[in-house]
Amino acid sequence: MKVVVGITGGIAAYKAPELVRLLKKAGHEVRCAATGHALQFVTRVTLETVSQNPLYSDLFASGSTEHISLKDWGDMLVVAPATANIIGKAASGIADDALSTLILAFSGKPVVMAPAMNSLMWSHPAVQHNIATLKGWGIRMVGPAEGELACGVNGIGRMAEPEEIAETVLSSFHQPLSTQKWLVTTGPTYERIDSVRFIGNYSSGKMGFALAQALADAGAEVELVSGPTSLAINHPRVTLTRVESAREMYTAATTIFPNCKGAILSAAVADYRPSECADHKLKKKGDEGMTLTLVQNPDILASLGSTKTQEQTLVGFALETDHELENAHGKLQRKNLDYIVMNSLRDKGAGFGVDTNKVTIISRDGHHIESPLLSKQEVAKMIVETVTH
Ligand code: PMT
């Protein structure tokens, strides 16, 4: 998941880097947004280093719409520490700097605040009124709450510890697959002709990398087996194995699958490979043509389908150019799948290379779910939600 950590100008700002560290350790991507006053307590360099991302602190530094991009990027905004000032601004809809503008832009997405201020300020009816207003809008408060005014728990107005704030953030991200391991295959395969040439295809790996990310975001451990691509993934729950040929992918997938709850095979695997691979560069011979003899590669999906247990879920892809649904149904039956995700190359913006896709998810019992044209990330999320229930 992607978390934006907002930092305001209170002494507790020194704890913000620790919060960022805990969120990163749990596998989340983090970007920080700070007020000018916050940067009196904690430096830009610290926040950028610990988050591994640029800091957002100036409304106009990189154009005037960065708050909207950051809101689109983030799944949640956590303001820690939240001073009386930012709480007052948020409750009044004031947007006069980078962070207050971001809070207003975050409308419709989850926002958590960890108030921190002097106890007299905290007790002031204006602050309590603002807190109540924000809570009424669904903004979650961690740490001092109205009840604590009477009992003085924790020192009134003191910010919750970073562990407690991180816990609140993590528990609000639903991770239904946290006990499961999934296998994903992606990318093309290269089948060598000689030492410099191969038979390949246009798969970029984007669909499968997005699937791995969506499964990991839902809490799963993911084994991602990828053919040659230029993509990388940085998620503590994703293990990437790079392979080149269909036979290497077969070996990796069949070794990993028995320990998995399920597998999604989105790779564009070459059905055939040259029967021989020359260990040198083949030379052109006059005007003669050249004949390559091809032999069949193992079908990874069919192989997993023949060994899968009742408890395992197997999902294949089908890339079709005609008779799409009929062909996809055929593959689902023949390869003993639970679901098949059909891509039609007739759909504009779908399939190889592009950042978008449009699919039909077909279940074994014949149910169809059609997606509109969406980003591969959104399609991946939809597939993961469907095949994991
Ligand atoms: O990588 P991108 O650029 O993001 O593009 C994504 C994609 C278009 C590659 C992807 O969405 C997709 O459609 N993947 C399946 C491509 C394919 O090869 O389909 P197929 O109909 O030929 O194969 C059917 C299924 O059998 C697939 O799950 C495939 O992984 C699997 N298979 C095929 C042959 C083989 N020898 N072993 C296999 O496991």
Side-chain angles (χ1 to χ4, degrees), residues 185-188 201-209 229 231 246 249-250 264-272 297-304 315-320 331 335 337 340-345 350-357 359 376:
T185 67
T186 191
N201 61 63
Y202 294 114
S203 170
S204 64
K206 286 178 187 170
M207 190 65 246
F209 274 72
T229 74
L231 302 179
M249 190 175 276
Y250 173 85
I264 308 180
L265 271 56
S266 65
V269 184
D271 288 320
Y272 295 92
N297 269 327
D299 190 317
I300 306 164
L301 187 57
S303 168
L304 301 191
V315 185
F317 266 67
L319 183 62
E320 306 293 343
K331 282 179 188 167
K335 301 192 186 193
L337 311 180
I340 194 149
V341 181
M342 197 275 288
N343 264 159
S344 171
L345 282 191
F352 285 133
V354 286
D355 291 330
T356 48
N357 211 353
V359 299
K376 282 187 173 158

Side-chain angles (χ1 to χ4, degrees), residues 30 36 47 64 111 173 211 215 240 267 273 278 294 296 377 385:
V30 180
L47 295 172
S64 57
V111 177
F173 289 143
L211 283 163
L215 283 162
L240 174 60
R273 66 177 185 278
L294 301 180
Q296 221 167 33
Q377 283 71 22
E385 273 163 21

